[in-house]
Amino acid sequence: MADAKREIERKFEFTTTEAEGRGVPDLTGTAAIAAVTDQGTVELDAVYWDTPDQRLAADGLTLRRRTGGADAGWHLKLPVSPGVRDEIAAPLGDTVPRSLAALVRSRVRDTGLEPQVRLLSSRRVSHLLDAGGNVLAELSTDAVRAERDRAGAAWTEVEVELADNVDPALLDAVEERFAAAGLTVSHAPSKLARALAETGHEPPARTEPGPAGDTAGGHVLAYLREQRDALIAHDPAVRRGLPDSVHQMRVAARRMRSAFKTYRKVLDRAVTDPVGEELRWLAAELGVDRDQEVLMERIQSRIGEIPRTLALGPVRSRLRIWNTRRRADSRRRALAVLDSKRYVTLLDTLDALLAEPPLRPAAAEPARRVLPKAVRREHERLARKVAHALSLDPGQPRDVALHEARKAAKRARYAAEAARPALGKRAKRQAKAMESVQTLLGEHQDSVVAREALRGLAGQAAGAAESAFTWGLLYGREEAVAERLERELPEVWAAAHEAAAY
């Protein structure tokens, strides 16, 4: 089983040979640092693995097999933000561990991983302590030698990595102290990046053709590429079970599919429609796990709102058992999808489509001429959906119509968000207005789904000779919520319609 930890660090390099000769200054007295203790020197031997075209390095990921030191093993580092990475560790072995290979699959796909660079480091380690003797950070001074093919490079690097729960402001204080001693923040984000640069093997920049940025095609393709990249980037987080990751990955898929439909004057739907169907499949499969998570949170919240005297029978235990079974199944299903050939084919298809986009004549026209029409068309489509839903009597047909209106509101919102770089404030206003409608209709649909779940829980309780009273009470409350939202919809829609008007 792989272990994970969050790294918050800053790397430094000497600005001159003279500064390097003086070495690292004493940090005692810097911010909360009361003492610096020498921990000795370790010899590290790390081999970095990547695809032949360096897909991991291009996205800022590093995968290495390292011996020496206290944490020998395999390490995968995933960028979170500048100076912050998640390190996933696995036991030492001769081949890439399956747990780590899975986390890079959205980048690697069917291409093999191979040794690329070897880094030999002589590391002198010190601990930075506070007045109570607690470790604030680890200070490492590395004499590094890089080897790739017949090329080589050598340099000295200084790294300060914070201990858990230490204020990152400490790094700013260290940086200020280092600057006075001739050390500056390293330009390279990692040892691997520097090794590749100094041996002449930097990963090739990703270039994808398309019309100029101010054209309709330029803006739509930029948006689609952003969503494609988000889809790939969220894949490891979904596999790790990180909060909100499924939702974010699902949103990226939906945004791409929505853009294919909205901007059909820009991209040929004969090409994009089949891809959109695959994105719909992916979002739906991922949604099984996400929807269960949202549903569980909703029912738990509703139980917390009622007096304890009305919670008859083992309500919370029944809910917990029900959720555990459903989440286990949905989690397995989501991971199976990400491990499937169909998913990898979808990612390859998206890359191919964006490398050779099926542009229509409107793609070459100015964005300000083409995009507003598409955004307005989605708004008008939503207006028809809302009007139809409001014309129906309360009940199942209206619930279905409101759900369709919700999907139309989401599509109208995505259309405006995609157009925002070109249209500015008016697209932002449109997106915000559509979000208000989407939120209300989403709450309504959540109530519909919750009522169906509560009906099932009541049946399970009755079948186990438990009281079904509480589940019926919660069902009635959800009905009241839905009725209130339906009464509010005309006013919310009128305000959104007016705010979104061009």
Side-chain angles (χ1 to χ4, degrees), residues 314-322 457 460-461 464 466 471:
V315 174
R316 294 186 184 276
S317 296
R318 167 65 55 192
L319 180 64
R320 186 163 52 249
I321 293 169
W322 170 83
L457 283 162
Q460 292 176 22
E466 299 167 3
W471 305 116

Side-chain angles (χ1 to χ4, degrees), residues 448-461 468 471-472 475 479:
V448 172
V449 173
R451 276 179 276 157
E452 184 63 27
L454 290 166
R455 185 184 293 111
L457 283 162
Q460 292 176 22
W471 305 116
Y475 186 99
E479 274 191 322

Side-chain angles (χ1 to χ4, degrees), residues 94 96 158 192 292 398 401 420 468 475 489:
D94 293 333
V96 179
V158 179
L192 175 63
Q292 179 61 26
R398 175 184 263 200
R420 184 177 174 183
Y475 186 99
L489 177 58

Side-chain angles (χ1 to χ4, degrees), residues 75-352:
H75 307 105
L76 172 64
K77 298 195 178 188
L78 303 165
V80 176
S81 60
V84 181
R85 296 186 293 180
D86 280 348
E87 180 180 280
I88 319 297
L92 195 64
D94 293 333
T95 58
V96 179
R98 292 179 61 183
S99 59
L100 301 188
L103 294 177
V104 298
R105 191 164 188 253
S106 63
R107 271 98 171 179
V108 174
R109 299 173 202 174
D110 292 328
T111 303
L113 289 164
E114 302 173 359
Q116 299 293 326
V117 179
R118 184 184 186 191
L119 294 182
L120 301 169
S121 303
S122 181
R123 167 171 291 182
R124 182 178 178 181
V125 180
S126 297
H127 285 170
L128 309 181
L129 309 179
D130 65 13
N134 302 302
V135 177
L136 296 172
E138 182 173 277
L139 168 65
S140 303
T141 304
D142 294 345
V144 185
R145 186 170 80 255
E147 300 174 355
R148 179 184 168 97
D149 298 330
R150 296 182 180 180
W155 68 90
T156 299
E157 178 178 289
V158 179
E159 177 181 299
V160 179
E161 180 180 341
L162 297 181
D164 293 342
N165 303 315
V166 174
D167 188 345
L170 178 66
L171 293 175
D172 296 330
V174 169
E175 180 180 339
E176 184 177 350
R177 176 70 180 92
F178 275 0
L183 285 112
T184 187
V185 175
S186 176
H187 295 294
S190 66
K191 286 184 178 66
L192 175 63
R194 182 163 181 174
L196 292 172
E198 297 208 8
T199 58
H201 292 89
E202 286 185 283
R206 178 188 287 169
T207 56
E208 293 177 307
D214 287 338
T215 62
H219 279 280
V220 172
L221 287 175
Y223 179 77
L224 289 170
R225 286 166 182 152
E226 179 182 334
Q227 303 313 316
R228 183 271 315 274
D229 292 347
L231 196 70
I232 292 170
H234 286 300
D235 175 298
V238 171
R239 294 176 186 271
R240 294 169 61 196
L242 297 186
D244 204 42
S245 56
V246 170
H247 173 63
Q248 292 301 326
M249 190 174 183
R250 192 182 184 192
V251 166
R254 283 177 163 174
R255 282 175 169 160
M256 291 191 77
R257 180 169 178 253
S258 181
F260 288 154
K261 292 181 177 181
T262 296
Y263 297 106
R264 56 185 180 271
K265 299 292 185 181
V266 175
L267 296 171
D268 186 355
R269 285 192 63 178
V271 177
T272 62
D273 274 358
V275 184
E277 282 305 298
E278 289 301 281
L279 288 167
R280 183 190 64 78
W281 161 77
L282 177 61
E285 292 296 317
L286 292 174
V288 174
D289 191 53
R290 169 63 180 174
D291 291 346
Q292 179 61 26
E293 179 184 4
V294 172
L295 181 57
M296 177 63 174
E297 291 175 355
R298 185 181 185 93
I299 297 176
Q300 280 183 317
S301 175
R302 292 290 187 251
I303 291 174
E305 293 171 359
I306 63 174
R308 290 188 178 183
T309 54
L310 297 181
L312 304 184
V315 174
R316 294 186 184 276
S317 296
R318 167 65 55 192
L319 180 64
R320 186 163 52 249
I321 293 169
W322 170 83
N323 182 64
T324 299
R325 290 173 178 169
R326 290 170 63 104
R327 284 301 297 274
D329 290 342
S330 63
R331 173 74 176 158
R332 283 194 294 268
R333 183 170 173 176
L335 293 178
V337 166
L338 297 185
D339 286 335
S340 69
K341 177 64 178 176
R342 183 175 180 180
Y343 169 63
V344 171
T345 299
L346 170 58
L347 296 181
D348 287 341
T349 302
L350 290 172
D351 285 348

